[in-house]
């Protein structure tokens, strides 16, 4: 089946630093989604990418859909304490199947 | 927009009882809803895909007679954990995909189930 490799698994950064995380897939996806999950909550959609090569921003967050359609990255600029959480990438192959394949998550800790 | 609610947010029940969890899409219609289970420090595990007006499609290893799913309307899907046992204790999360954007799932806040 499809697999997503998400890295890094965890990050400890200083407040104000930029953060980068990425996901790679063994197969092609038609949609890439990035979610943030805080303890005891459901994942919240941050950015959705629908086209290969697409670069989309949401405030301090920027994500790109890789040209090969097998990878995506998420950047967070000027991190703040409330960025703490687990970030998940997810991909959908589309074509009538809208199930998502999830990465294992990147746990972000921000040191004030 | 794209708000999904779940009820209850947490539930404690005795072993052997059944628990129903509701998932509602509040501001859009969803022909498809998804039910996930999440164990501590792990990613989301898809349990089943719920389609309005038809039977749910369960993932391999998920007992359909234990996890009953009903998707009676375009805004409501329910998951019933029947004869719950302590090993069913988990965080259950639903998601909903708008009909015009079915590749994008919006998640509910989750339901924490503890079976004693």
């Amino acid at each position: 089946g499809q697999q997503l490799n998400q890295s890094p698994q965890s990050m400890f950064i200083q407040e104000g630093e930029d953060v980068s995380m990425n996901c790679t897939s063994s197969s092609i996806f038609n949609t890439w989604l990035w979610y943030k999950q805080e303890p005891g909550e459901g994942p919240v959609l941050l950015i959705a990418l629908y086209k290969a090569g697409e670069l989309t921003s949401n405030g301090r967050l920027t994500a790109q859909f890789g040209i090969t359609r097998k990878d995506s990255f998420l950047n967070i600029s000027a991190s703040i304490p409330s960025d703490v959480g687990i970030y998940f990438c997810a991909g959908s192959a589309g074509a009538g199947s809208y199930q998502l394949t999830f990465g294992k998550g990147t746990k972000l800790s921000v040191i004030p | 927009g794209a708000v999904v609610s779940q009820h209850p947010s947490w539930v404690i029940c005795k072993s052997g009882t059944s628990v129903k969890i509701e998932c509602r899409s509040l501001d859009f219609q969803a022909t498809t809803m998804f039910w996930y289970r999440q164990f501590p420090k792990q990613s989301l595990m898809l349990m089943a895909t719920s389609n309005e007006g038809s039977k749910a499609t369960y993932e391999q290893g998920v007992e359909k007679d234990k996890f009953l799913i009903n998707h009676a309307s375009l805004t409501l899907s329910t998951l019933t954990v029947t004869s719950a046992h302590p090993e069913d204790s988990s965080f259950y999360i639903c998601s909903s995909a708008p009909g015009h954007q079915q590749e994008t799932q919006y998640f509910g806040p989750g339901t924490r189930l503890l079976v004693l």
Side-chain angles (χ1 to χ4, degrees):
Chain A
Q2 295 172 326
Q3 294 183 351
L4 280 186
N5 294 311
Q6 185 171 350
S7 64
Q9 187 175 358
S10 63
M11 302 179 72
F12 287 84
I13 61 168
Q14 204 74 34
E15 181 178 359
E17 290 184 346
D18 297 343
V19 174
S20 184
M21 59 191 79
N22 70 84
C23 277
T24 58
S25 169
S26 57
S27 55
I28 289 173
F29 285 121
N30 290 320
T31 299
W32 282 95
L33 305 169
W34 285 92
Y35 294 90
K36 178 187 178 185
Q37 186 178 29
E38 297 187 31
E41 303 284 338
V44 174
L45 181 65
L46 299 174
I47 293 179
L49 303 161
Y50 303 108
K51 295 181 181 179
E54 181 180 357
L55 183 70
T56 298
S57 293
N58 178 8
R60 294 178 295 106
L61 278 61
T62 302
Q64 183 157 31
F65 190 146
I67 293 177
T68 64
R69 295 198 284 162
K70 291 185 177 182
D71 64 300
S72 177
F73 71 74
L74 174 71
N75 288 339
I76 304 173
S77 63
S79 59
I80 59 178
S82 61
D83 290 333
V84 167
I86 300 178
Y87 292 79
F88 289 101
C89 64
S92 169
S97 171
Y98 299 108
Q99 291 183 0
L100 294 179
T101 300
F102 281 86
K104 294 189 176 182
T106 295
K107 184 178 181 180
L108 177 64
S109 300
V110 179
I111 304 168
Chain B
V3 179
V4 179
S5 70
Q6 268 184 256
H7 178 80
S9 56
W10 59 270
V11 58
I12 301 173
C13 69
K14 292 182 179 180
S15 186
T17 61
S18 294
V19 175
K20 180 186 283 188
I21 303 170
E22 293 186 349
C23 177
R24 295 181 184 271
S25 56
L26 299 184
D27 51 2
F28 64 94
Q29 293 185 330
T31 54
T32 305
M33 290 185 172
F34 303 85
W35 286 96
Y36 295 83
R37 186 172 179 176
Q38 188 177 33
F39 293 102
K41 299 184 180 180
Q42 293 191 21
S43 188
L44 285 77
M45 182 186 77
L46 180 66
M47 297 175 66
T49 301
S50 169
N51 297 296
E52 188 268 337
S54 64
K55 292 182 179 180
T57 303
Y58 290 82
E59 294 301 298
Q60 190 173 7
V62 178
E63 299 177 57
K64 63 179 181 180
D65 294 330
K66 179 164 188 63
F67 298 100
L68 301 179
I69 291 173
N70 184 274
H71 193 156
S73 76
L74 289 173
T75 59
L76 173 64
S77 176
T78 60
L79 168 68
T80 301
V81 183
T82 63
S83 187
H85 291 284
E87 58 265 29
D88 298 325
S89 299
S90 191
F91 192 50
Y92 293 89
I93 314 173
C94 72
S95 72
S96 186
H100 66 283
Q101 202 178 44
Q102 292 189 52
E103 64 278 5
T104 305
Q105 292 181 27
Y106 298 89
F107 286 85
T111 297
R112 175 75 59 190
L113 171 63
L114 177 60
V115 185
L116 301 177

